[in-house]
Amino acid sequence: QVQLVESGGGLVQAGGSLRLSCAASGRTFSVMGWFRQAPGKEREFVAAINWITTGLLYSDSVKGRFTISSANAKNTVYLQMNSLKPEDTAVYYCAARGGGIVTTASQYTYWGQGTQVTVSS
């Protein structure tokens, strides 16, 4: 059974930092990534990593502030979030797929349960 389990969300003041973790079990994936969804908005791509090509991709809204990385033989992915802004407030989801990096949520096969990130002004 495939499972993605996120942790690390919470409440932080603007300008602060948080690190999210996602542990995968049941199989390995070529791509793991992060999406987020704010109330009333669609789920949006944040960042992804491809183990095979070592490629990385970030959305423009987080580039330069967030860093995606991996550990434990590709089973764990992290999202280091610095210089957080109130507009970063959302539920953050870990996602995984085979193939290459894509930014469309519907093309990811497996999802975690989500973790809330709240940035106060």
Side-chain angles (χ1 to χ4, degrees), residues 16-58:
S17 298
L18 283 174
R19 189 176 83 155
L20 305 183
S21 301
C22 174
S25 61
R27 59 164 286 186
T28 57
F29 305 92
S30 56
V31 172
M32 289 185 72
W34 292 93
F35 285 75
R36 66 186 182 186
Q37 189 165 19
K41 295 189 176 181
E42 292 187 355
R43 193 167 297 190
E44 67 169 346
F45 174 80
V46 174
I49 183 168
N50 185 315
W51 311 118
I52 297 174
T53 67
T54 68
L56 304 173
L57 185 66
Y58 296 94

Side-chain angles (χ1 to χ4, degrees), residues 69-92:
S69 61
S70 64
N72 297 337
K74 313 168 192 176
N75 289 335
T76 303
V77 64
Y78 303 101
L79 186 68
Q80 177 67 43
M81 306 184 294
N82 298 329
S83 302
L84 282 161
K85 305 175 182 179
E87 51 264 45
D88 294 317
T89 295
V91 177
Y92 283 70

Side-chain angles (χ1 to χ4, degrees), residues 83-120:
S83 302
L84 282 161
K85 305 175 182 179
E87 51 264 45
D88 294 317
T89 295
V91 177
Y92 283 70
Y93 296 91
C94 178
R97 71 187 301 271
I101 291 177
V102 296
T103 60
T104 306
S106 61
Q107 293 184 283
Y108 283 77
T109 308
Y110 298 99
W111 291 87
Q113 80 284 356
T115 185
Q116 176 71 46
V117 171
T118 303
V119 185
S120 63

